[in-house]
Amino acid sequence: MRSFPSWLSLGLLAVGSNAAPYQSFDKRQDAGKLVFAHFMIGTQASRTSAADYDADMQKAKAAGIDAFALNIAKDSYTTDQLNYAYESAGNNGMKVFMSFDYNEADIYFGAGDVDVVAQYIKDFAGKEGQLKVDNKVFVSSFNGDDTDTHRLDPQAIRTAAGMDLFLVPNFHAGRNTDISGVDGVFNWMAWDSNGANRAPTAGANVTTSDADASYTSWLGDKAYLAPVSPWFFTNYPSKAWTFPGDLLWYRRWNEVLALAPRFIEIITWNDYGESHYLAPADDDHDTTAQAWTNGMPHDGWLEMAQPYIAAFKAGAKEPTITQDKLVYWYRPSLKAGCSFDGIDTIQDAVFVVALLTKAGKLTIKSGDNVQEVDAPAGASAHQVAMGTGKPTFILTGGAVELSGEGGLEIAGSCSGAVNLNAFVGVVSG
Ligand SMILES: *[C@@H]1O[C@H](CO)[C@@H](O)[C@H](O)[C@H]1NC(C)=O
């Protein structure tokens, strides 16, 4: 059971009059499903008004995303950007909450920053854009139990903030962190890994569902904030590796529908540097990352997420498909000629997820490679080996005839700076 301090129990009693007090356990577990997207304030630090946030708020809301998790550190621009983001959220009927970054290094929040964190919470808690869950101010983090100097102390923050918080930090299963003072925990392990923040190997393979299992058994009846991410590729001089992407965006959504946690967080909305953005590629203000993000749209992944988000909120196990479309993605070149950390875990393939209201015949061509399959009604994933040039996608015999060409030429080998980011597109009627 939860062991909240007594003043929190009083808070629960105070809201009890509006809430249905005698829901069954199952009903409480299913209530209030929410979808978040991790939003890097750091990649948008040059914004100058609330209006600069409107397009993000509107686009995310239209896709069914309930709130942005605003990732912040102690940067000089943090307060201004939070003001803009909260105001824009309020203007657009969206919600936001703060995700305090407890990464190592002084610019991030540390154990000594309890009052700084509490002050941010107090400054923004009353704004219309603030996400509240169970009538409490929702607060999250990135990291927070790595080391004693960068440890998030839930009880100290609650006391300093002096208000009811719904606290869901990014603590790590398996570290024996005390979770008696939190309402839930956010898991960042959105990619299969080797358990040490690199791509898996045959001998060391922690899958996303392994991570779900560790978290859910650790959390008991506390809320689980599960991650969903499409991709991971980063190529900075000091930070260069890939996790296996391929059909992750399809597989993970199906996992999440089956698991049905209370909350999910898309990683990310706009972390361009790690190639898992859904926001427009041309909004990347990280000049280094532009080398692998320019001309590499991911909007199609947001379109693909929409029927899954609708299903997640409805407690359904299959995506809610109302429009026939083919979502495709592929890298700009074959692997030949490149070596890169994690490259052995990805395939030279063009991937297609068919979202169909009626079965049809799908033909995918890439260079000389052709794949013809019967695609069922519902969501199904397909692939063909990569060839050179632009791949083509054709659907016949379904609810609509679809045909289209990939928006980027595939090169036969990988030369120059390695780019394992994905080009994502949609063929729809
Ligand atoms: C890790 O395990 C998953 C699930 O069994 C499998 O699909 C994947 O290929 C494995 N990865 C590696 C590198 O062995």
Side-chain angles (χ1 to χ4, degrees):
M1 291 307 294
R2 300 178 191 211
S3 50
F4 286 139
S6 55
W7 55 270
L8 262 180
S9 314
L10 288 173
L12 283 170
L13 282 176
V15 298
S17 51
N18 313 336
Y22 301 120
Q23 287 177 332
S24 72
F25 180 74
D26 283 349
K27 196 142 184 208
R28 270 185 288 132
Q29 288 286 297
D30 283 349
K33 302 268 185 209
L34 294 173
V35 177
F36 311 138
H38 202 76
F39 188 110
M40 304 302 286
I41 289 289
T43 67
Q44 305 302 329
S46 58
R47 289 183 172 182
T48 57
S49 71
D52 286 351
Y53 282 82
D54 286 352
D56 291 308
M57 298 292 166
Q58 290 159 9
K59 215 166 183 239
K61 187 182 173 184
I65 294 168
D66 298 288
F68 280 130
L70 302 175
N71 174 280
I72 50 169
K74 295 183 284 180
D75 295 282
S76 55
Y77 52 75
T78 298
T79 301
D80 282 349
Q81 296 302 327
L82 283 175
N83 271 312
Y84 301 148
Y86 269 81
E87 189 184 333
S88 174
N91 291 342
N92 288 290
M94 255 295 270
K95 295 294 175 196
V96 291
F97 58 88
M98 282 177 270
S99 177
F100 293 93
D101 199 322
Y102 275 76
N103 216 338
E104 295 301 311
D106 288 349
I107 195 69
Y108 301 106
F109 297 98
D113 290 320
V114 168
D115 290 335
V116 180
V117 168
Q119 193 60 49
Y120 274 118
I121 294 170
K122 287 193 268 193
D123 287 347
F124 291 92
K127 306 233 184 236
E128 195 188 333
Q130 172 66 52
L131 177 72
K132 292 188 176 166
V133 167
D134 299 348
N135 219 30
K136 301 170 189 178
V137 171
F138 197 92
V139 174
S140 188
S141 77
F142 176 72
N143 284 339
D145 64 352
D146 274 356
T147 59
D148 284 341
T149 56
H150 284 79
R151 193 170 297 286
L152 184 158
D153 179 341
Q155 197 47 59
I157 290 173
R158 289 182 193 280
T159 304
M163 68 182 83
D164 283 353
L165 303 179
F166 199 104
L167 198 48
V168 183
N170 168 222
F171 289 162
H172 295 75
R175 278 194 191 160
N176 275 331
T177 304
D178 177 6
I179 52 168
S180 61
V182 304
D183 301 273
V185 172
F186 174 34
N187 163 25
W188 189 263
M189 294 167 71
W191 312 272
D192 291 353
S193 78
N194 66 353
N197 210 22
R198 288 295 185 277
T201 61
N205 188 357
V206 183
T207 65
T208 52
S209 66
D210 293 338
D212 285 337
S214 317
Y215 272 83
T216 51
S217 69
W218 182 41
L219 287 172
D221 66 351
K222 290 183 187 291
Y224 177 38
L225 173 46
V228 185
S229 186
W231 209 257
F232 188 106
F233 163 73
T234 187
N235 197 3
Y236 295 97
S238 59
K239 178 183 169 189
W241 78 90
T242 190
F243 284 124
D246 290 359
L247 283 169
L248 175 64
W249 191 233
Y250 171 77
R251 180 174 64 75
R252 184 63 182 152
W253 276 112
N254 290 318
E255 275 178 10
V256 157
L257 290 192
L259 184 68
R262 182 165 182 192
F263 308 118
I264 57 180
E265 186 157 322
I266 294 168
I267 299 175
T268 59
W269 184 255
N270 59 3
D271 189 338
Y272 295 99
E274 294 182 353
S275 303
H276 40 54
Y277 53 94
L278 300 184
D282 61 10
D283 212 16
D284 183 2
H285 299 289
D286 175 342
T287 48
T288 307
Q290 282 171 8
W292 59 92
T293 62
N294 270 356
M296 302 293 274
H298 289 180
D299 311 65
W301 277 336
L302 182 62
E303 271 194 59
M304 187 186 135
Q306 233 165 302
Y308 281 98
I309 291 172
F312 172 75
K313 291 195 191 173
K317 300 299 176 199
E318 301 288 340
T320 311
I321 297 167
T322 55
Q323 203 203 337
D324 293 71
K325 56 180 77 167
L326 306 174
V327 181
Y328 67 83
W329 59 92
Y330 53 88
R331 302 190 318 273
S333 75
L334 279 86
K335 290 193 277 189
C338 269
S339 74
F340 195 76
D341 192 342
I343 200 167
D344 292 345
T345 63
I346 59 176
Q347 302 173 57
D348 275 341
V350 173
F351 301 98
V352 178
V353 168
L355 301 170
L356 303 179
T357 58
K358 180 170 177 278
K361 187 173 279 298
L362 173 66
T363 308
I364 319 169
K365 289 186 197 167
S366 182
D368 295 334
N369 308 318
V370 183
Q371 178 78 330
E372 261 190 26
V373 284
D374 293 320
S380 58
H382 310 278
Q383 66 188 72
V384 68
M386 263 180 162
T388 55
K390 289 183 173 174
T392 58
F393 312 96
I394 297 168
L395 181 82
T396 56
V400 289
E401 307 272 302
L402 297 176
S403 104
E405 187 180 66
L408 181 73
E409 300 259 352
I410 297 172
S413 69
C414 171
S415 58
V418 179
N419 189 353
L420 306 180
N421 190 7
F423 182 98
V424 184
V426 178
V427 181
S428 59

